[in-house]
Amino acid sequence: MHYNEKFHTKIRFDFIKHQKKFFGASIALVVIGILSLIFFQMNFGVDFKAGTNMDIEVGKTITQADAKAELTKLGYEDVDTTVGGSNNSRISVRFDDVLEQAKVTEIMTGLKATYGDQVSAETNVVSPDMAQELGKKTIYAIIIASIAIMLYVMIRFEWRFALAANIAILYDAFVVIALFSIFQLEVNLPFIAAVLTTIGYSINDKIVIFDRIRENLRFSKQKNKEQLAELVNASLWQTMARNVYTVLTVLIVAACLYLFGSESIKLFALAKLIGLASGAYSSVCIASPLWLMLRGDGKKQSKTVKTPAAS
């Protein structure tokens, strides 16, 4: 269905009318996120900070207090310890130092003395050089992805669409980073995968909406900003069902991964959930109103195109 001047009667909510509220709320979240990054920074996991991470399966239920007590008895009081897995039988321990093999063996020997020979562990050691290299490559990946997306949108559409899309995409990525900083959730390699996935899903939603805006522009007689705003609202509602179904489908999958998946992918699923929700919001409430703002009053850019005769 193409845009027509009567479509606004079917619109139940005027997104453009409330764009200042959306921009204000989004800017407030960005400011809070920046303050959190300044004062609390990120809770980097062993992937981005030199150290050792041990995932220990003890074979029976263990409480957080018991796990900490066992490690304290072995001489490790201030290490980051979490308990999870099936029946709370897995201990995840993060050491800020690179442990020598002798110390790893000492820890395993102590735990086996308490819980039996079924105790097993996976050890991940990251050197300072490797952590620094991973951090650099992560930044490069996000920058390259953003530039590639902007170039693609500029080629397929025009620079206003590209700029609006990239600002909204960077906002989505920042929302994930900010919330992980605010709640001090661990940042690891799966987290980076979730951020890059967020960028991919986010641009997909925006392309669908922008494509409908561009299509409606071809068959409209808009002359001023008010008529352009009506056109954008119409385009948003025309693509709403498609975007909602797409986002809900992926959200359900991500929610299942978070609720029923293993501990190793919970943070990935959570970051993906946050990114998908933010992407759906920014596509409607940030990218499209921002394009309208960049477009101006529409007088210079608009071209009158004859509406195709009804068949």
Side-chain angles (χ1 to χ4, degrees):
M1 180 175 64
H2 295 306
Y3 169 75
N4 63 71
E5 295 179 357
K6 295 181 180 180
F7 186 85
H8 71 278
T9 60
K10 301 179 182 179
I11 297 175
R12 286 166 285 183
F13 184 83
D14 190 338
F15 292 101
I16 303 303
K17 180 180 178 181
H18 298 278
Q19 63 180 356
K20 291 183 179 179
K21 297 177 183 177
F22 296 134
F23 288 161
S26 303
I27 291 172
L29 180 56
V30 169
V31 171
I32 293 172
I34 291 173
L35 291 175
S36 178
L37 289 170
I38 292 173
F39 293 104
F40 302 111
Q41 300 182 347
M42 300 294 291
N43 179 23
F44 289 109
V46 68
D47 293 328
F48 297 101
K49 187 169 65 174
T52 304
N53 190 75
M54 292 184 68
D55 286 325
I56 306 168
E57 177 62 49
V58 297
K60 58 183 69 176
T61 301
I62 183 172
T63 64
Q64 183 85 8
D66 289 340
K68 281 189 169 292
E70 285 296 325
L71 290 166
T72 299
K73 186 170 66 176
L74 295 171
Y76 301 96
E77 298 182 13
D78 299 324
V79 292
D80 185 8
T81 307
T82 57
V83 172
S86 59
N87 300 321
N88 286 334
S89 61
R90 178 179 289 269
I91 309 171
S92 294
V93 191
R94 191 180 71 190
F95 302 89
D96 291 334
D97 300 323
V98 176
L99 294 184
E100 298 176 357
Q101 185 57 43
K103 291 186 177 181
V104 173
T105 303
E106 180 184 327
I107 293 171
M108 293 299 297
T109 301
L111 290 173
K112 285 182 178 180
T114 303
Y115 295 100
D117 292 336
Q118 78 275 5
V119 175
S120 60
E122 295 179 5
T123 304
N124 182 22
V125 179
V126 177
S127 66
D129 292 339
M130 186 182 297
Q132 187 177 14
E133 186 66 19
L134 284 172
K136 288 180 180 179
K137 287 184 177 180
T138 298
I139 295 172
Y140 294 155
I142 293 175
I143 291 175
I144 291 172
S146 299
I147 293 174
I149 287 171
M150 191 165 191
L151 290 173
Y152 168 74
V153 179
M154 285 182 69
I155 293 171
R156 181 170 175 181
F157 296 92
E158 47 99 23
W159 70 268
R160 296 175 190 83
F161 283 119
L163 183 57
N166 252 54
I167 290 174
I169 287 170
L170 291 176
Y171 170 81
D172 297 333
F174 184 79
V175 166
V176 180
I177 293 170
L179 290 179
F180 266 63
S181 172
I182 292 170
F183 295 103
Q184 287 295 288
L185 300 172
E186 184 176 324
V187 174
N188 49 23
L189 286 178
F191 168 83
I192 301 305
V195 172
L196 293 174
T197 302
T198 293
I199 292 175
Y201 277 108
S202 180
I203 190 59
N204 182 63
D205 285 344
K206 291 161 183 58
I207 288 294
V208 170
I209 295 172
F210 286 169
D211 194 49
R212 181 53 60 92
I213 292 174
R214 181 179 62 175
E215 182 182 0
N216 286 335
L217 281 170
R218 293 173 181 169
F219 302 107
S220 67
K221 298 179 181 180
Q222 83 291 342
K223 296 294 184 182
N224 55 45
K225 189 171 183 179
E226 288 71 23
Q227 291 169 325
L228 279 173
E230 184 181 344
L231 183 144
V232 171
N233 263 318
S235 301
L236 289 172
W237 280 103
Q238 288 171 2
T239 56
M240 186 66 69
R242 184 265 182 202
N243 286 335
V244 168
Y245 294 150
T246 302
V247 171
L248 278 179
T249 301
V250 186
L251 277 175
I252 291 171
V253 173
C256 290
L257 284 174
Y258 179 75
L259 294 173
F260 308 113
S262 64
E263 289 297 316
S264 60
I265 63 172
K266 276 189 177 293
L267 290 178
F268 167 80
L270 179 60
K272 193 172 179 179
L273 278 169
I274 296 170
L276 286 170
S278 177
Y281 163 80
S282 70
S283 297
V284 175
C285 302
I286 296 179
S288 301
L290 191 56
W291 171 82
L292 182 62
M293 185 181 297
L294 293 170
R295 173 92 179 188
D297 61 10
K299 291 180 180 179
K300 293 182 179 180
Q301 295 89 350
S302 64
K303 295 181 180 179
T304 301
V305 180
K306 293 183 179 180
T307 306
S311 58

